[in-house]
């Protein structure tokens, strides 16, 4: 990650109080992506591959019941982490 990206991640509320050594370990191997509208981050029923921290923008968590249309379950905004319990 670039130094400016680490600063953005450091400002996320859930990570703001981490000691520097923990932050260094966390961002080792991490990367920042800018994704287009409609991109799929993960699929319901599949184990997540990443912990997604939203730096800017908005992400909708969609759920699907059998033979039903997709439904918005939750919105995630800048500062939120997407599906953190499932990843951790």
């Amino acid at each position: 990650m670039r130094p400016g990206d680490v600063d953005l991640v450091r400002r996320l509320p859930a990570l703001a109080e981490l000691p520097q050594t923990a932050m260094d370990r966390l961002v080792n191997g991490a990367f920042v992506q800018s994704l287009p509208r409609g991109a799929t981050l993960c699929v319901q029923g599949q184990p997540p591959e990443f912990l997604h921290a939203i730096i800017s923008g908005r992400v909708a968590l969609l759920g699907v019941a059998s033979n039903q249309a997709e439904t918005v379950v939750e919105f995630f905004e800048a500062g939120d982490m997407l599906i953190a319990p499932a990843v951790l």
Side-chain angles (χ1 to χ4, degrees):
M1 291 180 74
R2 298 173 301 189
D5 294 337
V6 174
D7 291 340
L8 290 172
V9 172
R10 168 64 89 186
R11 285 188 234 136
L12 294 170
L15 305 176
E17 299 300 320
L18 280 179
Q20 188 60 46
T21 55
M23 180 60 74
D24 291 344
R25 287 181 39 209
L26 179 72
V27 299
N28 184 31
F31 54 93
V32 173
Q33 289 183 296
S34 180
L35 300 173
R37 180 183 212 105
T40 300
L41 301 178
C42 55
V43 177
Q44 181 176 329
Q46 300 279 326
E49 297 181 23
F50 300 99
L51 173 64
H52 296 278
I54 312 303
I55 295 173
S56 67
R58 186 178 194 189
V59 174
L61 177 63
L62 304 175
V64 180
S66 59
N67 299 324
Q68 301 289 323
E70 290 182 331
T71 302
V72 175
V73 175
E74 187 174 359
F75 284 106
F76 294 89
E77 307 278 344
D80 292 335
M81 287 194 286
L82 181 64
I83 60 173
V87 174
L88 300 175

